[in-house]
Amino acid sequence: MDFWQQYRAIDARDVRFDGQFVTAVSSTGIYCRPSCPARTPKPSNVTFYRTSAAAHEAGYRACKRCLPEAVPGDPEWNLRSDAAARAMRLIADGEVDRSGVAGLAARLGYSARHLNRILKDELGAGALALARAHRAQTARTLLTASTLRFSDVAFAAGFGSIRQFNDTVQQVFDLTPGQLRDASRQPQDAPARDAAPGGPVRLLLFLPTRLPYDNGIFRFLAARAVAGVEQATDAGYERLLRLPAGPAWFRADPAVARGTGQAALPVTVSVAGLGDLPALLSRIRRLFDLDADPVAIDAALARSAVFGRLAADTPGLRLPGAVDPHEILVRAIVGRQAAASATSATAALGRLARIGPSVDVPGTGLSRMFPSAQELADAPGPLLRGPLRRNDVLRTAARLLVSGALEVGVGARPETLRADLLQLPGVDPWTADYVTMRVLGHPDTHLPTDAAVHAGWRLVARGAVGPDALPAPAPAPAPSPAPSLDDAMATVRPWRSYATLHLWRAALRSAGRSAGRTGGEPPDVVA
């Protein structure tokens, strides 16, 4: 976007652009989100910054009225695969907190100096400043939504000291931590910590997202939930996962509208160590695709008559991501080897999950961690039932993950990750594409050999699917030939992953009708 496109967006107070840039006003010394309700500043007083970190570096503080940190993330980081986008994904996942700027640069294949040069040119701030802005955002969330002690908030947000925390909050928000908490209108009724001293921290938080939001993602997760590790229904999802400080747990409930053009996903989280909290929240955001721009996606899908109908029926469809990239690879391999159905694959994964350790996390009936690559590589005997080749494929992948010869994570380039996966014996293009789509949240994946995709396409191409599907009208005197699946997919690039999800949903609806479930589906879309 150029200056005047951004200026028109802030003049219209367009919430769609919240999180994609900030508006710094020289006459006030503050920066705002595009939808800030304050009077539109003069163009001569405005500077637009790609990130809030760049505005911090230029000496601006956050607006107390519109709270520019309380917005979804920039959807472009999933759409792009350059160094800046990959760095932003890793910073959100806590890479700088875990291994410093040098570690982040090494993950991306650059020197720290060169990476900082790239980030400053592209985003207006270096890696440390970007990580600091992310810490400030986490601190604001915890201060306004919990009763955690300030020292706990500081270390949970990733700050190295209380002084650093106090100075950053004061600089960014022009408020002390106490003033920021007092100014919050969020309820603070629930305790922030379990009763037992030293027990796991449990918090109720609301993660912002953009409208519309289709809560049908819960059905996708429920159909693939692994017993003991996950539990899901149409109205909620919970699971255990491992983080550096120990086992973590979260529960997510359907997204709810919170003001004009805004929504939030309610999540209850529990972590063994406060330092794990930022990474956990980032992974939940990726799993539920909270940073997507649904208006832009649906507008692109509307370029195809077929996908346009599906998007109109189900606006705001979300792409399920991953909380553990290695787990997604294991799931894809097992699912492809099982081949028969998602049900049989889930059953096989349930047996495989018994290799993982048992844990006791208060407040949940879940008791098992999904096995790590190390645990799968070291497990005696066959990992799966059936031919030995199935076990060989899975064990080989696990050993490569352990050795570091295969890297599967959010910092990868889509084309590089796909090529690396295809080098594994027994991994076909479907498996590589599916892992790329889920792990990276890659929006432009097409699965041309997927049976459910073809089943859904056959149904929607003839207009047989929709919540209010009607008998097809009489054919026109000279009907134009229907486009092929590949042609229709090419029309909606770079959003083919979302088109794929629509086709999966169409196939599932048809299967439900065939099985006699004629009551329809519950309304899922929050708009």
Side-chain angles (χ1 to χ4, degrees):
M1 300 176 69
D2 63 24
F3 178 91
W4 291 109
Q5 288 174 321
Q6 292 173 310
Y7 190 81
R8 285 193 292 272
I10 69 168
D11 192 40
R13 293 162 178 76
D14 195 330
V15 298
R16 294 178 300 167
F17 297 100
D18 287 354
Q20 300 188 42
F21 64 87
V22 296
T23 307
V25 185
S26 59
S27 58
T28 61
I30 66 171
Y31 69 91
C32 304
R33 63 167 80 183
S35 66
C36 182
R39 186 176 63 183
T40 304
K42 295 178 180 178
S44 58
N45 292 336
V46 168
T47 303
F48 294 111
Y49 290 101
R50 192 72 178 76
T51 62
S52 60
H56 301 164
E57 292 289 280
Y60 292 93
R61 60 174 176 79
C63 175
K64 298 175 185 177
R65 184 173 181 183
C66 70
L67 300 175
E69 311 296 333
V71 297
D74 192 333
E76 196 166 339
W77 307 141
N78 287 340
L79 185 60
R80 290 166 43 178
S81 59
D82 57 14
R86 293 159 55 217
M88 289 300 289
R89 295 200 295 264
L90 286 168
I91 289 170
D93 195 53
E95 187 65 35
V96 172
D97 297 330
R98 290 191 296 268
S99 58
V101 175
L104 171 67
R107 286 285 303 272
L108 296 171
Y110 296 97
S111 68
R113 182 177 180 180
H114 186 50
L115 176 62
N116 276 323
R117 186 183 303 118
I118 292 172
L119 295 176
K120 286 178 180 177
D121 289 345
E122 180 74 21
L123 306 176
L128 199 58
L130 291 165
R132 180 171 172 261
H134 191 265
R135 292 175 194 142
Q137 182 175 1
T138 302
R140 189 209 64 80
T141 298
L142 296 178
L143 285 169
T144 59
S146 79
T147 56
L148 281 174
R149 295 175 300 180
F150 292 158
S151 59
D152 287 340
V153 171
F155 294 116
F159 290 100
S161 68
I162 302 295
R163 179 176 181 178
Q164 186 185 70
F165 162 69
N166 287 332
D167 289 347
T168 298
V169 170
Q170 180 73 53
Q171 180 181 349
V172 172
F173 302 107
D174 196 30
L175 294 169
T176 66
Q179 290 170 332
L180 186 57
R181 172 168 283 173
D182 291 341
S184 167
R185 290 191 287 262
Q186 297 291 340
Q188 299 180 8
D189 300 329
R193 182 185 287 274
D194 283 352
V201 176
R202 180 171 292 227
L203 299 167
L204 171 63
L205 303 171
F206 292 86
L207 305 185
T209 189
R210 296 179 177 88
L211 289 173
Y213 190 93
D214 175 50
N215 283 310
I217 191 172
F218 286 91
R219 278 202 300 278
F220 181 96
L221 297 173
R224 294 157 179 80
V226 177
V229 178
E230 305 167 284
Q231 185 173 322
T233 67
D234 292 357
Y237 173 82
E238 64 174 302
R239 71 159 291 159
L240 296 170
L241 68 157
R242 63 183 80 211
L243 291 172
W249 167 88
F250 73 87
R251 175 182 172 84
D253 295 307
V256 293
R258 290 168 65 88
T260 304
Q262 302 175 22
L265 187 81
V267 295
T268 304
V269 299
S270 175
V271 290
L274 287 166
D276 286 342
L277 193 57
L280 176 59
L281 297 180
S282 174
R283 295 181 190 192
I284 295 172
R285 295 196 66 84
R286 294 188 64 79
L287 177 63
F288 288 95
D289 199 14
L290 298 183
D291 294 332
D293 183 350
V295 174
I297 294 167
D298 289 348
L301 295 179
R303 294 197 296 259
S304 162
V306 173
F307 289 123
R309 291 199 304 271
L310 295 178
D313 289 340
T314 311
L317 195 68
R318 290 307 205 266
L319 172 63
V323 295
D324 183 343
H326 291 184
E327 178 184 318
I328 290 295
L329 176 58
V330 172
R331 284 174 175 260
I333 290 174
V334 172
R336 199 59 166 167
Q337 297 294 326
S341 67
T343 302
S344 61
T346 301
L349 286 164
R351 293 189 293 269
L352 191 68
R354 296 170 192 162
I355 298 172
S358 297
V359 295
D360 182 17
V361 176
T364 177
L366 301 176
S367 60
R368 195 167 292 279
M369 307 288 288
F370 196 87
S372 67
Q374 184 72 67
E375 289 160 351
L376 292 175
D378 295 342
L383 299 174
L384 299 170
R385 296 175 181 174
L388 289 177
R389 190 178 70 85
R390 294 183 179 180
N391 290 276
D392 293 341
V393 172
L394 186 55
R395 203 179 292 273
T396 298
R399 288 170 177 164
L400 289 172
L401 289 171
V402 171
S403 69
L406 175 64
E407 184 173 346
V408 179
V410 296
R413 289 186 176 92
E415 60 277 9
T416 303
L417 177 58
R418 185 180 190 274
D420 290 345
L421 291 172
L422 288 174
Q423 297 301 312
L424 293 176
V427 171
D428 62 0
W430 182 94
T431 305
D433 287 333
Y434 180 80
V435 171
T436 301
M437 180 174 72
R438 293 288 306 274
V439 169
L440 301 182
H442 187 48
D444 197 32
T445 297
H446 177 30
L447 303 174
T449 63
D450 188 272
V453 167
H454 283 277
W457 175 253
R458 286 193 297 270
L459 292 164
V460 301
R462 66 172 188 258
V465 169
D468 301 307
L470 299 173
S480 58
S484 69
L485 171 60
D486 290 342
D487 289 342
M489 282 289 189
T491 304
V492 299
R493 296 192 72 169
W495 307 109
R496 292 181 296 173
S497 297
Y498 293 88
T500 296
L501 288 169
H502 276 292
L503 294 179
W504 280 346
R505 177 77 68 89
L508 183 63
R509 282 174 174 166
S510 177
R513 291 192 182 99
S514 298
R517 294 191 292 271
T518 57
E521 298 177 334
D524 292 319
V525 178
V526 179

